[in-house]
Amino acid sequence: MSSSLPPAATIRGHETLDTLFAIMVRAAHLGEWAMCHQAIEQFVAALDGHLSYEEESQFPAYAASSPGAAAEVQQLLEEHERIRGAVDSLTESFRGRELDLQGVGAVEVMLRDHDARESLRFHPWLMARQRGA
């Protein structure tokens, strides 16, 4: 991804991930495994692109902005790894045609909490940076 991607696109990326996740889970609930597997591919690719973009293009500048931001980035990076692990486990169960409701709930909570944490300081910093503040 280009480093010129606007911050609003990063924020909208969370909405896209939520939608793709919902499609994947709904397909699993319905036992529509072919559709679920397609949704898995789309969700995993979007998630990886989103997380990688933050890690490579946004977090370094944010971490350099203050010691507090550097500590926050470390926490966000650790969350990214936990999210990846939980998603890998969930999608593996879906690929095996198993509806893992506990895994669905865990990933939903992780994504929601992560989004909320980024919304506190990181997203406002991105928007201020875009405005040139």
Side-chain angles (χ1 to χ4, degrees):
M1 287 187 176
S2 164
S3 62
S4 63
L5 185 67
T10 299
I11 296 165
R12 281 192 309 274
H14 289 194
E15 296 166 3
T16 300
L17 290 169
D18 291 345
T19 299
L20 291 171
F21 184 78
I23 292 168
M24 178 180 71
V25 170
R26 179 74 176 146
H29 271 285
L30 294 172
E32 296 287 343
W33 297 110
M35 181 188 305
C36 181
H37 295 154
Q38 290 175 347
I40 287 169
E41 297 308 316
Q42 292 176 357
F43 175 72
V44 169
L47 179 67
D48 184 58
H50 177 81
L51 297 179
S52 295
Y53 180 74
E54 285 182 342
E55 293 163 358
E56 297 165 11
S57 298
Q58 295 175 327
F59 285 174
Y62 181 53
S65 70
S66 75
E72 183 180 355
V73 164
Q74 187 57 44
Q75 292 173 342
L76 293 172
L77 290 170
E78 291 168 6
E79 286 180 13
H80 280 192
E81 288 309 306
R82 286 193 297 274
I83 289 167
R84 283 182 174 108
V87 166
D88 285 348
S89 178
L90 178 63
T91 58
E92 191 61 33
S93 73
F94 285 172
R95 286 184 176 107
R97 296 180 178 226
E98 177 187 332
L99 178 57
D100 177 3
L101 293 176
Q102 186 175 9
V104 168
V107 171
E108 285 176 334
V109 168
M110 290 175 123
L111 292 174
R112 184 179 58 241
D113 289 353
H114 184 72
D115 186 29
R117 195 166 349 282
E118 285 186 341
S119 295
L120 291 175
R121 288 178 291 279
F122 176 59
H123 289 165
W125 175 85
L126 281 175
M127 297 308 287
R129 185 173 182 219
Q130 182 182 29
R131 289 188 309 268

